[in-house]
Amino acid sequence: MPNRLELSGITKQFPGVLANDNVSFAVKPGEIHALLGENGAGKSTLVKMIYGIMQPDSGEIRWNGEPVVVPNPKAARRLGIGMVFQHFSLFEALTVLENIALGMDAKIPSRELEARIREVMQTYGLALDPHRTVATLSVGERQRIEIVRALLLNPQLLIMDEPTSVLTPQEVEQLFTVLRQLASEGCSILYISHKLHEIKALCDTATILRGGKLVDTCDPKEETSRSMAEKMIGTGLKDIVKPAGRSFGEPKLVVNRLLTHRTGHFDVPVTDVSFTVRAGEILGIAGVAGNGQNALLDALSGEIRSEDREAITIDGKAIGHMDTTERRRHGLCAVPEERNGHAAVADFSLSDNSVLTARDRLGMVVMGLINSGAARTYTGKVIADFAVKALGPAATAGSLSGGNLQKYIMGREILQKPTVLVVSQPTWGVDAGAAAAIHQALVDLAAAGSAIVVISQDLDELRTLSDTLAVINMGRLSESRPVAEFSVDEIGLLMGGVHGAEAAA
Amino acid sequence: MSLELTIAIIVTVVGASTPILIAALGELVVEKSGVLNLGVEGMMLVGAITGFVVAFTTGNHYLAILLAAAAGVATSMIFGFLTLSLSANQTATGLALTIFGTGFSALAGQGYSARPVTLLGPLFPAELATHPIWRVLFGYSALVYFSLAMVFAVWWFLKKSRAGLILRAVGENDLSAHSIGYSVIGVRYAAVAFGGAMAGIAGACFPLLLTPQWAERMTAGRGWIAVALVVFASWKPFRLLAGAYLFGLVMTMELYAKASGGPLSAIPAELWSAMPYLATVVVLVLISIRRDASTNAPACLGRPFLPSN
Ligand SMILES: Nc1ncnc2c1ncn2[C@@H]1O[C@H](COP(=O)(O)OP(=O)(O)O)[C@@H](O)[C@H]1O
Ligand SMILES: [Mg+2]
């Protein structure tokens, strides 16, 4: 049997970037094939060429043994190639059925289409009400629409670009069941993800790209997550180096009985939160999403001001009543979880984004005028020190991939050398190499004497990074203790809301 | 109130509401495609003068309506070219279009004031409408039946047809519609042209249906009412019908209150003039509070379409 898909010598040049450099590999019928690589390695570009969104500069695509040219997505669908995008292109105000109808090339009467949709959902156990409005659906349900849309065409190859980065573990499990069933029916799957344990659980083969070049094709079941990560970044994955025998200095950030008020429906306020972070210390705050992490970050950054000025002190100075700008002046910098629109303005250049948070600490504004030279120089330093893949300080924040934007934002705050840094989800959606770099930068900042608070849902991250750990549940923070004293079970119990004495009993 | 009077009121209300309804239906389709055309009043005035001049010179009302629609389309294409092809700001361009339409119609209408035309007669033979009750059903001109048919047609088009689905998709998420392969600009041009035709016909209603002459600014701000109605009716054609008729009803009550001299005439004239606007807005706002109106607003309304590549 010929290969389902065979690429040979695919090359794609963008202005300033060689996104794919002579890439060749093959996908067999019924194979689940992983495509791995760091952010910017060229994975999305490669699959876009297979799906006809872009054209390769050179190279050949063979489909079931025959050389083909795929001029547009419509032609790809006619060949039997389906794709589920990283960012869904759905119409929020329209129903599931209408959304699917819009994406179909053939005009099918809506009753017949609905019957076919129900049939596909039945076959693959995808539950979805065709008459629901998309705006009311969860992310996982939205993805199901895209999958159903692709499956309606009986594809022989299904391409999925980072399908799980926004799904809950249960949704991921359901997705894998569907994908395995599809593969068993002979449909090939090209699967892109950063989550290496997923690749090990799901995929038969993995092709690894680095800087646009194919560096290896391997069997993920025979590899470890670490060995695949090392192939992706090209060097050994560095362990975080924590200077041995560290001692902590004076208390830097003292939070005393901090509380916020409920503002929206889904908002969980924090009540009676107290903790102390000393110079050189990294405090990790664990917890299941939606337990008050957002309120805590806002209350610390100054987006929510406290009625009690003594609720937050830095170096003994009360800052509870101050806004974000004043707190930054006093040495407290913060990175919220949401990058686009909260931590950075997508339409602004990186340089302007630097001015937004670093202007006071680094003197980028002189007598009301922006010193754009200083902003550019600083942004250039962030880009260089944190290996941000961007065209330069003038590139807009929105043009960066998620991982690169995160590196930029972390760099922008860390290089300001804040007395206290509060970060939420520092490595969300970031590949292994970049995550290690961000972790190391945080450790180095602490070693230089800053106090750091890391709010994260990733327990592995917290256990490697933190010196002390506390758990947030329903807006209440547990007592903080050295991380070594916690067992995983105990953290789990605290995250579920079982406290101190009960947990011990 | 006598049966005669009641029926006379109903007939007046229907007549007064018709131009607003027609213009608003056009604007509804335009807005559903994601375009905000504030030039309705201007396009109506161009339609009004065109309809008047054609009716005056040829005496053919249907030709007058047709050419008024064509003039509306032509005017709307100025807006279309500026906002769709050149991505000009829609709000500013719409306002400019109204100013243009006002001035153009005044200029073209010089020398036509105080010259009479005949009104468009009822569509059905008079025998059908001899009894007053039948007059309520069969006593109107073709424009009234047209407006009612269009309510249903617009509803069906948006809700049931594939073309309507594509139009809504374009108004909802232009970038996605573009990436699926629909022509965003093409769809929007078609919608703007339809809005222009409807506004032109709505304008022609004034000299052909209401007052058989030309007067400068004779549309008297009804184009703005039409634009506001679309929003307050949450972009739903049947609510638009209700809103337009409510507006016509309160406006007609004003006339009767003044004429009859009863206690209602004690209300100051200024308040009466404001009443139709107030009543319509209040009622439609109350309707839309109950359900979630915001989900029906086209997400791309007023935003120029700028594909990234
Ligand atoms: N349309 C484009 N124009 C210019 N450069 C692009 C474009 N799309 C992607 N790139 C660049 O090509 C490289 C590969 O990007 P991409 O394929 O999206 O990577 P991945 O999906 O592996 O993260 C990146 O450096 C990116 O900035
Ligand atoms: Mg990608």
Side-chain angles (χ1 to χ4, degrees):
Chain A
M1 205 167 3
N3 283 322
R4 177 64 34 90
L5 176 77
E6 205 173 315
L7 302 180
S8 42
I10 298 286
T11 300
K12 179 76 183 175
Q13 172 85 49
F14 286 125
V17 206
L18 190 55
N20 286 142
D21 184 2
N22 202 12
V23 176
S24 311
F25 69 94
V27 182
K28 293 197 253 320
E31 180 186 33
I32 306 186
H33 194 116
L35 200 52
L36 300 178
E38 292 185 279
N39 296 314
K43 308 176 297 288
S44 296
T45 305
L46 188 64
V47 294
K48 280 180 189 164
M49 288 187 289
I50 300 170
Y51 194 58
I53 296 171
M54 291 173 182
Q55 298 306 314
D57 296 337
S58 63
E60 188 186 55
I61 302 176
R62 279 173 173 268
W63 178 249
N64 290 327
E66 302 288 324
V68 289
V69 175
V70 193
N72 53 45
K74 206 167 176 169
R77 290 192 287 264
R78 229 178 292 125
L79 287 174
I81 303 175
M83 179 152 169
V84 174
F85 290 91
Q86 193 168 0
H87 305 287
F88 311 143
S89 49
L90 292 172
F91 302 94
E92 297 252 333
L94 306 185
T95 65
V96 173
L97 185 62
E98 288 172 334
N99 264 283
I100 294 177
L102 278 168
M104 303 294 283
D105 297 320
K107 287 186 190 171
I108 304 167
S110 76
R111 204 156 301 159
E112 194 186 321
L113 182 62
E114 187 176 339
R116 284 182 53 192
I117 291 171
R118 290 196 189 276
E119 188 190 314
V120 166
M121 293 195 305
Q122 182 95 48
T123 315
Y124 295 100
L126 293 156
L128 205 57
D129 175 1
H131 295 287
R132 282 270 293 280
T133 306
V134 171
T136 66
L137 300 178
S138 72
V139 189
E141 288 171 311
R142 287 173 194 217
Q143 188 188 50
R144 258 174 255 162
I145 303 177
E146 297 271 349
I147 296 174
V148 168
R149 176 146 86 188
L151 294 185
L152 280 171
L153 303 163
N154 297 318
Q156 297 176 34
L157 172 69
L158 184 62
I159 303 171
M160 308 202 79
D161 194 349
E162 298 194 34
T164 57
S165 54
V166 286
L167 300 188
T168 65
Q170 291 81 359
E171 286 172 330
V172 170
E173 211 30 69
Q174 286 170 5
L175 174 67
F176 284 6
T177 313
V178 173
L179 295 183
R180 288 198 188 98
Q181 186 182 345
L182 269 171
S184 71
E185 291 165 5
C187 177
S188 309
I189 289 159
L190 196 51
Y191 186 89
I192 300 178
S193 173
H194 284 307
K195 300 186 180 167
L196 297 170
H197 58 275
E198 288 182 359
I199 303 287
K200 281 175 65 68
L202 183 73
C203 300
D204 308 313
T205 319
T207 290
I208 298 173
L209 295 182
R210 187 197 320 143
K213 286 198 183 65
L214 190 151
V215 290
D216 195 18
T217 297
C218 59
D219 180 352
K221 303 218 160 60
E222 318 235 295
E223 302 281 330
T224 62
S225 293
R226 188 188 174 100
S227 67
M228 285 193 285
E230 285 176 348
K231 284 176 185 164
M232 277 162 52
I233 59 176
T235 57
L237 197 57
K238 278 195 232 103
D239 283 314
I240 298 174
V241 194
K242 278 194 190 179
R246 294 198 296 158
S247 61
F248 306 125
E250 293 294 302
K252 286 275 175 193
L253 173 71
V254 179
V255 175
N256 188 20
R257 313 195 71 109
L258 179 69
L259 60 90
T260 65
H261 299 288
R262 196 184 170 84
T263 48
H265 268 307
F266 303 107
D267 184 55
V268 178
V270 291
T271 27
D272 202 11
V273 165
S274 304
F275 61 84
T276 301
V277 195
R278 292 160 289 180
E281 180 179 357
I282 299 180
L283 168 70
I285 296 184
V288 179
N291 270 292
Q293 288 96 331
N294 291 342
L296 179 59
L297 185 105
D298 289 349
L300 290 176
S301 72
E303 275 182 67
I304 302 176
R305 287 192 246 175
S306 172
E307 286 141 25
D308 174 11
R309 34 191 310 157
E310 301 289 335
I312 306 172
T313 55
I314 289 187
D315 287 333
K317 184 165 176 34
I319 59 157
H321 58 294
M322 292 181 183
D323 65 14
T324 40
T325 308
E326 286 175 275
R327 288 189 199 192
R328 281 184 179 280
R329 262 186 225 133
H330 284 87
L332 188 151
C333 292
V335 178
E337 169 183 328
E338 179 67 33
R339 296 162 199 153
N340 256 322
H342 197 173
V345 182
D347 291 338
F348 276 21
S349 68
L350 294 180
S351 216
D352 288 347
N353 270 296
S354 299
V355 173
L356 290 180
T357 77
R359 59 183 185 278
D360 290 330
R361 297 185 62 75
L362 300 175
M364 288 180 192
V365 176
V366 184
M367 296 197 307
L369 297 178
I370 293 172
N371 180 350
S372 48
R376 248 194 324 271
T377 314
Y378 178 67
T379 309
K381 185 167 157 54
V382 173
I383 292 174
D385 286 12
F386 282 79
V388 179
K389 288 206 183 91
L391 288 176
T396 61
S399 72
L400 267 63
S401 69
N404 276 303
L405 186 57
Q406 183 71 355
K407 284 199 273 185
Y408 160 75
I409 291 166
M410 292 300 298
R412 177 183 71 183
E413 303 306 328
I414 289 174
L415 292 186
Q416 292 181 39
K417 305 213 168 21
T419 318
V420 176
L421 179 66
V422 182
V423 296
S424 183
Q425 303 290 358
T427 57
W428 190 295
V430 170
D431 62 58
I438 289 175
H439 287 162
Q440 189 60 52
L442 286 171
V443 169
D444 293 346
L445 181 68
S450 297
I452 298 177
V453 179
V454 178
I455 304 172
S456 174
Q457 289 159 42
D458 185 342
L459 274 190
D460 293 336
E461 170 167 68
L462 289 176
R463 285 161 60 84
T464 43
L465 205 55
S466 332
D467 302 304
T468 42
L469 190 72
V471 179
I472 191 167
N473 175 261
M474 300 295 284
R476 289 175 183 279
L477 191 70
S478 76
E479 189 195 346
S480 55
R481 279 189 285 147
V483 70
E485 291 181 12
F486 281 97
S487 68
V488 176
D489 287 347
E490 193 185 351
I491 300 174
L493 286 173
L494 286 169
M495 282 167 47
V498 184
H499 284 277
E502 294 165 63
Chain B
M1 220 182 325
S2 72
L3 180 67
E4 288 288 333
L5 183 61
T6 313
I7 286 167
I9 290 179
I10 293 177
V11 171
T12 320
V13 168
V14 170
S17 312
T18 296
I20 299 173
L21 180 57
I22 295 176
L25 283 169
E27 179 68 8
L28 186 149
V29 172
V30 175
E31 290 190 11
K32 269 293 183 188
S33 80
V35 179
L36 181 67
N37 185 354
L38 294 181
V40 178
E41 178 81 0
M43 298 188 294
M44 279 171 75
L45 281 167
V46 172
I49 186 62
T50 310
F52 175 83
V53 171
V54 175
F56 182 76
T57 46
T58 67
N60 186 335
H61 289 103
Y62 293 104
L63 185 66
I65 294 168
L66 204 65
L67 291 181
V73 173
T75 318
S76 73
M77 284 301 102
I78 303 174
F79 175 85
F81 179 72
L82 289 172
T83 59
L84 301 177
S85 297
L86 303 183
S87 303
N89 179 296
Q90 295 179 6
T91 308
T93 311
L95 293 174
L97 193 70
T98 288
I99 296 170
F100 164 77
T102 312
F104 175 82
S105 61
L107 181 70
Q110 269 177 351
Y112 282 105
S113 53
R115 299 211 185 174
V117 285
T118 52
L119 287 179
L120 180 61
L123 179 64
F124 296 106
E127 296 78 56
L128 261 181
T130 43
H131 190 278
I133 298 281
W134 289 127
R135 242 186 93 200
V136 174
L137 290 180
F138 297 115
Y140 310 105
S141 74
L143 283 166
V144 171
Y145 300 107
F146 169 76
S147 71
L148 296 174
M150 284 312 281
V151 173
F152 185 79
V154 165
W155 171 81
W156 183 87
F157 171 78
L158 288 177
K159 202 80 194 162
K160 302 282 174 188
S161 78
R162 186 173 165 88
L165 175 60
I166 294 170
L167 182 126
R168 280 188 290 144
V170 164
E172 186 54 37
N173 189 339
D174 45 12
L175 289 173
S176 292
H178 174 72
S179 71
I180 295 178
Y182 297 110
S183 164
V184 173
I185 299 293
V187 168
R188 288 186 174 169
Y189 258 114
V192 167
F194 175 77
M198 293 292 274
I201 296 173
C205 286
F206 287 84
L208 303 181
L209 196 62
L210 301 175
T211 42
Q213 57 178 353
W214 164 252
E216 256 180 53
R217 302 180 188 231
M218 74 184 302
T219 53
R222 302 293 150 70
W224 294 109
I225 294 299
V227 172
L229 271 182
V230 174
V231 179
F232 290 121
S234 314
W235 294 269
K236 294 189 172 161
F238 285 101
R239 270 195 218 178
L240 208 57
L241 175 71
Y245 276 38
L246 180 71
F247 186 88
L249 174 70
V250 181
M251 207 166 57
T252 312
M253 272 168 56
E254 173 193 358
L255 300 177
Y256 279 90
K258 275 187 196 150
S260 65
L264 284 178
S265 63
I267 301 175
E270 290 79 9
L271 191 55
W272 266 123
S273 311
M275 200 76 90
Y277 303 84
L278 283 176
T280 311
V281 167
V282 166
V283 168
L284 288 173
V285 165
L286 289 180
I287 295 175
S288 51
I289 283 173
R290 218 162 26 88
R291 285 178 225 145
D292 187 10
S294 58
T295 55
N296 210 29
C300 292
L301 185 59
R303 284 213 319 249
F305 172 59
L306 301 165
S308 53
N309 43 25

